[in-house]
Amino acid sequence: MHRLLSFTCSLALLTGCSQSQINIPAQDAPSGARAQATSFTSWLTGDAADVQTTTSGGTVLMGGSTDVDAAIRWMIQKSGGGDFVVIRASGADGYNNYIYSELGGVNSVETLLLTSRTQANDPVVEQKIRNAEAVFIAGGDQANYVNYWKDTKVEDALNYLRNTKQVPIGGTSAGCAIQGSVYFSALNGTITSSEALSNPYNRKLTLGRNDFLNNPFLGNTITDTHFNNPDRRGRLVTFLARMSKDWAIDLPKGIGVDEKTAVCIEPNGTAKVFGTGTAFFLIQNRTGDVPERCESRKSLHWYRSRQAIDVYKVPGTATGTGTFDLNAWNSGSGGSWQFYYVDYGVLGVN
């Protein structure tokens, strides 16, 4: 049995004071105790002492719903058994026991609940993230992540971990949706495929570019999640059309991930697909044919002989045997090629 114990920590070299929650063995603890943090709330399971391990970089794109154990184990292996940090803007400590006890192999798991820009700029939060050997971004509302974390110490710490310290970083659902250099911010709410296809400039279709996370192999790439529930192929194609039209991006790319599925990107750019669903790798057809019509209040038309978008679809497996090469975006294993096109607002598959 464990209990949550509230404690105050002060660091002489850092301003402010934060309260945290940790799990420690006890027999007489009140259940459900929760800290009311003056700066931020955290839950710690395992060893509070910082450890340093040999790590390897990587990126996890998880599609949402049930977490993919194999993908989290992939992160644990790359962490070298170090300290695993989970960040979120809602919810509580649900990942702590799952990662620390059910999967195992890490020194500690700490969940940070960060619900404001003030908290995201707390130097204690920044240091906790920078000390991590793996970071996972929970699901929620990516608009909160954009509003609370973009252009803060949290953003700086995440980019430092992935690109300098070389540790694995991943996310599920909203935590996956912010991983690309282009991202759907959902600042005006979510958008369906039919809404996007019927009007690519719907006010709900809000995109950010090159101003948040900087993950290797995800340049000029946007990610989408819950890809099969509901069908989000149409909106991802529309995202690519906007990338082409608004920013003249050459060969815009997208990765769509089904629920209960994860794409794990190795340091060499090989994407392995784990889980029970499918991952879709989309790239504008290399003939360079931009959308014929991508205008406000008009349905999208991107036909190009029914071959506007090249798509490689990879079924997930328990061991990640299906792959795709994110260096060249033209080859994979265990999958199959198809084409997407849009005929005046209607998605077609060829």
Side-chain angles (χ1 to χ4, degrees):
M1 296 293 292
H2 293 78
R3 72 173 176 181
L4 296 175
L5 175 65
S6 177
F7 72 98
T8 302
C9 65
S10 61
L11 298 176
L13 297 179
L14 299 174
T15 60
C17 177
S18 65
Q19 292 182 310
S20 301
Q21 294 183 325
I22 59 173
N23 286 347
I24 62 173
Q27 302 299 324
D28 57 351
S31 62
R34 177 181 174 84
Q36 300 299 318
T38 56
S39 176
F40 65 94
T41 300
S42 70
W43 296 266
L44 175 67
T45 303
D47 186 0
D50 178 44
V51 298
Q52 297 182 6
T53 62
T54 300
T55 61
S56 176
T59 305
V60 170
L61 309 175
M62 198 176 293
S65 185
T66 305
D67 292 304
V68 181
D69 294 351
I72 303 297
R73 289 194 177 100
W74 182 88
M75 293 184 68
I76 291 171
Q77 186 273 326
K78 290 187 175 298
S79 78
D83 297 312
F84 201 117
V85 170
V86 178
I87 61 174
R88 59 195 314 158
S90 60
D93 62 342
Y95 277 100
N96 284 41
N97 185 67
Y98 164 62
I99 296 173
Y100 186 82
S101 300
E102 294 183 30
L103 300 182
V106 296
N107 182 63
S108 69
V109 179
E110 184 164 17
T111 295
L112 306 177
L113 181 64
L114 308 174
T115 60
S116 71
R117 296 184 65 81
T118 298
Q119 294 173 353
N121 278 311
D122 189 313
V124 178
V125 168
E126 179 188 24
Q127 196 59 54
K128 285 178 178 291
I129 295 175
R130 284 176 174 263
N131 286 345
E133 281 71 47
V135 173
F136 190 74
I137 304 172
D141 182 349
Q142 65 254 41
N144 288 334
Y145 302 163
V146 174
N147 285 325
Y148 299 157
W149 303 346
K150 190 170 80 71
D151 299 323
T152 69
K153 294 180 184 297
V154 165
E155 176 192 308
D156 292 342
L158 291 173
N159 286 326
Y160 159 77
L161 287 180
R162 184 62 190 87
N163 296 290
T164 301
K165 189 175 177 179
Q166 294 296 324
V167 310
I169 290 181
T172 186
S173 189
C176 168
I178 59 172
Q179 299 287 335
S181 68
V182 181
Y183 57 91
F184 172 54
S185 64
L187 292 176
N188 293 327
T190 192
I191 188 168
T192 66
S193 286
S194 60
E195 289 172 330
L197 290 168
S198 64
N199 178 12
Y201 289 87
N202 186 304
R203 65 177 298 275
K204 293 191 288 187
L205 205 164
T206 54
L207 301 177
R209 182 193 181 207
N210 293 342
D211 61 6
F212 200 178
L213 299 188
N214 179 24
N215 282 309
F217 306 107
L218 295 181
N220 292 333
T221 302
I222 189 167
T223 63
D224 207 359
T225 61
H226 303 279
F227 208 57
N228 56 333
N229 185 27
D231 184 349
R232 288 182 167 174
R233 292 176 299 173
R235 82 172 195 175
L236 184 53
V237 170
T238 308
F239 293 163
L240 300 189
R242 285 283 304 273
M243 291 162 65
S244 174
K245 179 68 178 294
D246 296 357
W247 297 306
I249 292 176
D250 184 34
L251 301 179
K253 308 171 187 71
I255 301 176
V257 189
D258 282 352
E259 294 181 344
K260 303 179 183 179
T261 308
V263 174
C264 296
I265 305 172
E266 295 282 358
N268 66 0
T270 299
K272 298 180 177 179
V273 184
F274 294 89
T276 59
T278 302
F280 299 78
F281 300 88
L282 283 65
I283 182 171
Q284 177 183 302
N285 189 280
R286 283 176 169 78
T287 58
D289 293 329
V290 300
E292 291 95 333
R293 187 173 78 182
C294 182
E295 302 174 19
S296 178
R297 300 181 185 278
K298 293 183 179 180
S299 60
L300 177 66
H301 188 60
W302 200 357
Y303 195 77
R304 301 303 179 193
S305 301
R306 300 195 301 169
Q307 295 185 356
I309 303 292
D310 297 346
V311 183
Y312 193 71
K313 52 184 297 188
V314 184
T317 65
T319 56
T321 52
T323 67
F324 188 71
D325 179 11
L326 296 184
N327 290 286
W329 278 78
N330 62 4
S331 63
S333 63
S336 59
W337 286 99
Q338 57 185 194
F339 301 100
Y340 290 171
Y341 62 94
V342 181
D343 188 4
Y344 294 103
V346 179
L347 178 71
V349 179
N350 184 18

